[in-house]
Amino acid sequence: MTIHQTRGRFPRRRARAVLVGVAAAAVVLTACGGSRPEGGATTVGVTDDSVKIGGHFPLTGVAAPGYSEIPTGAQAYYDYVNAAGGVNGRTIDYLVRDDGYDPTKTSTVTNELVLKDKIFAMVGGLGTPTHGAVVDFLNDEEVPDLFVSSGSLAWGEDPAEKPWTFGWQTDYESEGKVIGQYVEKNFPDAKVGLFLQDDDLGADGEKGLRQYIDGQIVETVRYTSGNTDVAPQISALQSSGADLVIGFNTPSYTALSQLTSLKLGFEPQWFYTNVGSDATLVGSLLARFSEGAVKGGASSLDGVLTTKYLDTVDDTDSEWIKLWTKVWEQEGDDQPLTNYRVYGMAQAYTFVQALQAAGKDLTRQGIVDALEEQGGDFEGPMVAPFAYSKDSHMGTTGMRVASLDGAKVVPETEVEVTEIGDNPIEPDSSDAGKDAPPSSGIPGKD
């Protein structure tokens, strides 16, 4: 596959497409199965009664634990919406492909989704290194690339560079800033070590952290996803004298870093990104990776610090968790509701709002325009507002610091918001996440 870089909303490839457009029109109209909402124009993946979307996820491989549950949550919510009549009379047809958290496979399955399955949009494609392999292709093909399951700055900081791509969760730089400010205030004398995935997950997180605690950092180590031997990295952190370690890493590497630290007798205060801090999952991975030598369980991460931008399954009084529980009981399987399934449902809820905002005459350009014009005002389960506008395709803008107590994620701060760069961190004054969901469980429908 050839990856093309696009610098604006209308790539150069459109010019030559126009030359063959008339000759190909009849073929396209019969092959794509699309609707004709705008003066006869066909929208790929859209019919009068359905819209087809796709997503790439690691259903197998090192990143499958936890992450493979996200599309099951999204599917349950789409089924719930479909059972109520869909959006603007259209049901949502959701195609999920396994990329094994391997960028080469991501390219293959994305090609299939776009060129063979002819999806309307990519929704929730997961992973920083994996989605990075296909983001330019999606933009070159003018496929809406919505709500990437990753907090990389690459998805939303420059809409002119990637006009079809939108982030969703709080970006890693902003998370790094929130963590850095907390450490600066509460651990001013700590010697800080950084344990980072060697891609934008780690790099963006480090960028935010160094704005606040650059002078406290005594060692920085990086790992390559797929290499499960992190003993050299943990040994380097221990030798540096670090007594507080911040990890921007995935769940498997939280478990690997904990297991290796146990073997070395290294006991710093740990502070993990929310990406890698699900205590129930990490506890099960600890037991598996140690072949039973470590008991595991959610209590394995007791006392660890993290961040939080969504209510979690332990928030049993949350009206949003009550909704997700209802949806899962109605449309899910016999597996338990997890925080990853909650993530998938919340993401799907945002996509349903985007479809509603785009209107009955659904087009690819129309949903991008709707997000830029209305997305910043979307309501839902996120604890902070979205940044969506013509100037930013970043996702939600804030989070709170929390600590882990078994499976509970205990808030340590109020929600704080910020923008990327050297913009300050401020208390959130919005109503984001505070209102109960509509009684129907579907945005805009009481």
Side-chain angles (χ1 to χ4, degrees), residues 75-99:
Q75 182 67 70
Y77 188 70
Y78 293 140
D79 288 344
Y80 180 84
V81 172
N82 289 344
V87 181
N88 290 320
R90 295 186 179 95
T91 57
I92 300 168
D93 183 9
Y94 182 42
L95 307 182
V96 176
R97 297 290 182 261
D98 179 20
D99 65 6

Side-chain angles (χ1 to χ4, degrees), residues 59 87 93 166 209 222 233 289 306 330 426 431:
L59 305 183
V87 181
D93 183 9
F166 291 78
L209 288 166
R222 307 175 195 279
Q233 290 91 333
F289 292 166
T306 187
Q330 180 174 316
E426 299 174 340
D431 292 327

Side-chain angles (χ1 to χ4, degrees), residues 42 85 234 238 249 402 429:
T42 299
I234 302 302
Q238 185 177 34
N249 55 268
S429 60

Side-chain angles (χ1 to χ4, degrees), residues 24-165:
V27 176
V28 171
L29 289 173
T30 56
C32 292
S35 66
R36 306 178 65 165
E38 290 186 346
T42 299
T43 298
V44 176
V46 179
T47 69
D48 289 340
D49 55 14
S50 69
V51 54
K52 185 189 300 183
I53 62 174
H56 63 83
F57 292 87
L59 305 183
T60 58
V62 66
Y67 291 159
S68 61
E69 297 171 3
I70 291 174
T72 66
Q75 182 67 70
Y77 188 70
Y78 293 140
D79 288 344
Y80 180 84
V81 172
N82 289 344
V87 181
N88 290 320
R90 295 186 179 95
T91 57
I92 300 168
D93 183 9
Y94 182 42
L95 307 182
V96 176
R97 297 290 182 261
D98 179 20
D99 65 6
Y101 208 65
D102 178 340
T104 299
K105 292 180 180 178
T106 309
S107 296
T108 299
V109 300
T110 297
N111 259 339
E112 292 174 355
L113 286 167
V114 172
L115 303 177
K116 178 182 177 182
D117 298 314
K118 299 194 180 298
I119 57 172
F120 166 72
M122 180 73 78
V123 181
L126 186 139
T128 301
T130 44
H131 201 72
V134 298
V135 63
D136 289 336
F137 168 72
L138 291 168
N139 276 266
D140 186 59
E141 293 295 317
E142 299 182 353
V143 177
D145 179 23
L146 309 180
F147 316 141
V148 183
S149 298
S150 157
S152 171
L153 297 177
W155 320 135
E157 67 176 335
D158 187 358
E161 182 77 12
K162 297 179 176 67
W164 298 89
T165 299

Side-chain angles (χ1 to χ4, degrees), residues 423-444:
N423 290 287
I425 299 171
E426 299 174 340
D428 178 40
S429 60
S430 75
D431 292 327
K434 297 180 177 66
D435 292 333
S439 58
S440 67
I442 300 172

